[in-house]
Amino acid sequence: MPKIIIIGAGISGLSCAYDLISRGYEVEIYERGDTFGGQAKSLRTNKCFVPYAWRIWTNYYYNFLDITGNIPFENGKTVRDNIVPIPKYTHELQNKNGRQVSGGTTLDPKNFNSRSDYYRVWNKLLNMFLFSDKRLRENDITFYDYIDPKDKPTEDFAMEFVGPIIGMEAKKATLFCITKGWEVTYLSRSIHTGLFDQSQIYVANGPYSEVIFNPWVKYLVEQGVTIHTNAEITYINYDKIAKKIVSIDTVDQKSISADDFIICMDQSSISKLINTNKDLMDIEMLKKSTELSTYGNEMYFGMVLHFSEKFDPPLGTGCAQTQPWKVVIENFSASWGKKYIEHCKSEEIIQASCLDLYPGLNGKMLHECSVEEAIQETIEQLRRSKLMKDLKTTSGKSIWEVFTGYDIWPEWINGKDGKITNKNNFYKFSINKNCWDLMPSTKTPVKNLFFGSVITKTEVPMVSMEIACSNGRHAAKAICEKYQTSSPHVYKHPGFLPKILAPYRGMDWVLFSMGIRSNMIVVFILMNILFIIMLILLIRGIYRQFKG
């Protein structure tokens, strides 16, 4: 069978390897570091485990669940069994499922200066779900510019709807991306039975690497995948005449050949690698992919806080909505297994994530802070938030009296300008303005080069662990189709909303193609009135025929 080299051991690379090795291909993975899972992994520190940012799973993680449901864990369980329902409590919303979301306190009529301001936001939201794809993509407009905030409550909603909720860059993510991302993430029905039938939001029951990625890698190795760590790829040897990749060079100057190559790296690493070869830069698709880091790199800062006593009432997940950085928290100790909590020697382990939204209490945006300032600002905003300000321990103390320290993702350092930066230029990807047209397809003009990472353009304009997984599977499927072997089944993500709204979106496409930018709520009402009239006439006709 052909030899396939996968560059990168993140979710997309591991997913691609899973499908290829199960079909008999010779598979090798080259990973620049010594850990696995990309930005979804957790790292073991001297104190505990720290992730890049918080992670949740929802009903639409079809491919992720499919693969992890076949990877063994411990005691007869699978890795999928480590994805558990989110703790059903928060400090602010007892017995509710999950964090406070937009549409709750942020999209509350009491927050708005007038009813007209409030209804204006709803008019915008309802219209965007009725728009055709063609209209959503007009001028590559951002969600923020589409909402066009005229007041502070509307701006707060727009920032949170994109930032903490979808996880994209609040002022730069496109309307197309946010609309599709929202309907797929939160409005998809599970195709599985059991675990995901009762709720919509799930978390891991331990550090991500310990309960997901390390077992995944162990399984792949047992199946015959060869994984090379600390093996950064520095150059791609391309035969311009044959339009084929001949080999790749590693950091220790080894040249590795294969039949096919699959890129499963982040946008910054892709730019760095492809830019080393002038002939590859002459290929439009590949050249465009090198520009993604310019537009799509997103600042996403995370840290883990430790407390020596249990909280009362218990804390699950939440969002510090009243604070400028809208810090999202997840209480790891509410869902982690006992052995992981004991390893960290803390009673409560809180993961806090924030994006570059507003100037903080110190007057600085996140990207303007030093690492030390970002840490201090995040903690101070949590201290002042409704979520944690008055929270007590079981002994009656303020939780901040028993705050014992923190961990941060170790790649955050201060740059030469004294501002926070990632030493490996390792940033989350956000589908911002200009990005969609720059994103590469799975198949490239190079005969034996494929893309499988989250930046690949497939059926959903979204960035998540599931999309990384499905994109990796799409790359594996392309390989199988090339060699005419059995292909993996790649679950698509249609959701149920597109089916319901298809007639209205179709009408918008027709009207928009004619240059008519209609209010789709009005069109929706008129189309339904027409449908009801036609239904009444049909029933009357059937009745008369039957009676006659």
Side-chain angles (χ1 to χ4, degrees):
M1 290 292 280
K3 176 182 177 181
I4 315 298
I5 284 181
I6 298 171
I7 306 174
I11 290 177
S12 60
L14 299 180
S15 301
C16 186
Y18 171 86
D19 281 332
L20 290 176
I21 198 66
S22 65
R23 284 158 179 79
Y25 288 88
E26 181 183 351
V27 181
E28 292 190 14
I29 299 177
Y30 285 80
E31 165 58 40
R32 70 176 179 181
D34 58 2
T35 54
F36 315 101
Q39 293 180 1
K41 67 189 173 189
S42 56
L43 297 176
R44 187 186 290 260
T45 67
N46 292 333
K47 189 172 182 64
C48 191
F49 306 91
V50 60
Y52 182 82
W54 79 308
R55 301 288 168 185
I56 62 167
W57 288 258
T58 69
N59 283 353
Y60 88 103
Y61 278 69
Y62 308 152
N63 292 287
F64 191 92
L65 294 173
D66 180 49
I67 290 178
T68 55
N70 291 300
I71 296 175
F73 187 59
E74 299 170 354
N75 303 319
K77 293 184 177 181
T78 66
V79 168
R80 180 182 165 185
D81 293 323
N82 295 327
I83 311 299
V84 298
I86 200 167
K88 293 186 178 180
Y89 47 73
T90 67
H91 176 46
E92 292 184 286
L93 297 181
Q94 289 292 319
N95 301 318
K96 296 293 183 180
N97 191 357
R99 67 189 186 280
Q100 290 184 293
V101 298
S102 294
T105 58
T106 306
L107 192 57
D108 188 326
K110 296 177 183 178
N111 293 335
F112 288 80
N113 299 325
S114 66
R115 285 282 176 175
S116 62
D117 291 339
Y118 174 69
Y119 291 134
R120 177 178 176 274
V121 175
W122 271 110
N123 177 65
K124 292 271 190 176
L125 290 175
L126 294 175
N127 262 285
M128 78 182 199
F129 285 112
L130 293 167
F131 285 167
S132 61
D133 287 2
K134 185 175 182 179
R135 188 169 178 182
L136 286 173
R137 294 188 60 196
E138 183 185 22
N139 299 323
D140 211 19
I141 189 172
T142 67
F143 176 82
Y144 185 87
D145 288 341
Y146 166 73
I147 292 294
D148 187 22
K150 304 292 186 183
D151 52 75
K152 186 67 164 54
T154 303
E155 184 174 35
D156 284 343
F157 167 77
M159 298 291 264
E160 186 176 335
F161 190 88
V162 178
I165 306 304
I166 297 294
M168 295 289 183
E169 199 159 8
K171 288 190 175 183
K172 297 180 181 179
T174 63
L175 176 65
F176 179 53
C177 166
I178 298 305
T179 304
K180 298 301 180 182
W182 180 266
E183 71 180 35
V184 168
T185 305
Y186 295 105
L187 298 174
S188 292
R189 289 178 177 172
S190 175
I191 60 172
H192 297 274
T193 58
L195 180 63
F196 275 62
D197 282 353
Q198 301 301 315
S199 187
Q200 291 186 333
I201 303 178
Y202 297 79
V203 293
N205 66 0
Y208 307 130
S209 290
E210 306 298 312
V211 301
I212 298 174
F213 300 114
N214 291 347
W216 194 336
V217 168
K218 179 183 177 183
Y219 173 79
L220 291 178
V221 172
E222 290 172 350
Q223 298 305 303
V225 175
T226 301
I227 300 181
H228 305 270
T229 56
N230 298 312
E232 181 179 1
I233 305 304
T234 57
Y235 191 76
I236 298 177
N237 297 290
Y238 173 57
D239 185 334
K240 186 175 182 179
I241 297 175
K243 294 185 178 180
K244 291 182 66 176
I245 303 299
V246 178
S247 63
I248 54 175
D249 295 344
T250 62
V251 69
D252 54 2
Q253 298 183 336
K254 291 181 180 178
S255 186
I256 314 296
S257 61
D259 295 289
D260 296 272
F261 302 82
I262 302 174
I263 295 177
C264 292
M265 300 187 297
D266 66 282
Q267 66 280 4
S268 297
S269 299
I270 289 171
S271 178
K272 179 182 177 182
L273 179 59
I274 293 179
N275 262 300
T276 61
N277 190 304
K278 182 181 180 300
D279 290 335
L280 289 178
M281 286 294 288
D282 287 338
I283 300 172
E284 184 180 12
M285 179 190 290
L286 301 187
K287 183 177 186 300
K288 283 184 174 181
S289 71
T290 66
E291 300 175 35
L292 282 169
S293 58
T294 301
Y295 299 101
N297 279 6
E298 178 183 18
M299 178 70 74
Y300 207 131
F301 179 73
M303 60 186 297
V304 175
L305 286 69
H306 298 273
F307 300 84
S308 62
E309 292 186 18
K310 285 285 187 183
F311 297 165
D312 184 24
L315 181 69
T317 59
C319 177
Q321 294 175 318
T322 58
Q323 298 303 306
W325 286 3
K326 313 289 184 186
V327 184
V328 175
I329 68 103
E330 178 188 343
N331 188 351
F332 285 155
S333 45
S335 52
W336 279 8
K338 183 178 179 181
K339 67 177 181 179
Y340 303 117
I341 298 174
E342 289 179 345
H343 170 82
C344 297
K345 297 181 175 58
S346 297
E347 289 295 325
E348 299 280 3
I349 306 163
I350 303 294
Q351 203 282 331
S353 297
C354 47
L355 295 94
D356 209 15
L357 298 174
Y358 287 114
L361 301 171
N362 62 5
K364 294 183 178 182
M365 297 286 288
L366 174 58
H367 72 272
E368 297 173 330
C369 294
S370 65
V371 173
E372 295 75 18
E373 288 171 332
I375 293 169
Q376 182 180 1
E377 180 68 20
T378 302
I379 294 173
E380 186 58 30
Q381 289 191 30
L382 287 175
R383 283 180 182 273
R384 299 189 186 194
S385 70
K386 290 182 179 179
L387 196 66
M388 300 182 75
K389 179 174 63 174
D390 299 319
L391 195 56
K392 303 291 185 181
T393 69
T394 51
S395 67
K397 298 177 182 177
S398 164
I399 64 168
W400 298 106
E401 294 180 61
V402 298
F403 173 52
T404 59
Y406 59 83
D407 276 321
I408 66 166
W409 186 258
E411 292 181 355
W412 292 119
I413 61 171
N414 290 324
K416 293 180 180 179
D417 58 0
K419 297 177 182 178
I420 186 170
T421 189
N422 188 291
K423 67 180 180 181
N424 292 319
N425 202 25
F426 195 46
Y427 294 96
K428 189 176 183 295
F429 181 58
S430 176
I431 304 179
N432 297 337
K433 189 177 181 67
N434 299 318
C435 285
W436 184 248
D437 289 334
L438 297 175
M439 292 167 66
S441 302
T442 302
K443 298 179 181 179
T444 75
V446 179
K447 294 178 181 179
N448 62 343
L449 180 65
F450 302 82
F451 278 98
S453 63
V454 77
I455 60 98
T456 311
K457 185 188 297 181
T458 52
E459 91 273 16
V460 179
M462 181 62 181
V463 179
S464 69
M465 294 180 289
E466 168 63 10
I467 300 305
C469 181
S470 63
N471 286 358
R473 303 195 87 174
H474 277 296
K477 184 177 181 180
I479 292 289
C480 293
E481 289 173 347
K482 176 180 178 179
Y483 293 104
Q484 298 181 333
T485 59
S486 64
S487 296
H489 177 70
V490 185
Y491 289 103
K492 294 186 177 180
H493 308 85
F496 63 87
L497 199 61
K499 297 177 182 178
I500 296 172
L501 299 180
Y504 312 103
R505 291 176 173 179
M507 178 59 72
D508 180 66
W509 184 89
V510 172
L511 294 172
F512 186 73
S513 297
M514 297 168 59
I516 302 172
R517 291 169 173 77
S518 55
N519 185 316
M520 285 307 297
I521 297 176
V522 175
V523 174
F524 177 86
I525 294 171
L526 292 176
M527 286 181 67
N528 279 286
I529 291 174
L530 180 61
F531 173 76
I532 292 170
I533 292 172
M534 292 175 65
L535 185 62
I536 292 172
L537 291 175
L538 178 62
I539 293 172
R540 286 181 65 184
I542 295 173
Y543 173 74
R544 286 175 179 176
Q545 186 177 16
F546 177 77
K547 187 177 180 181

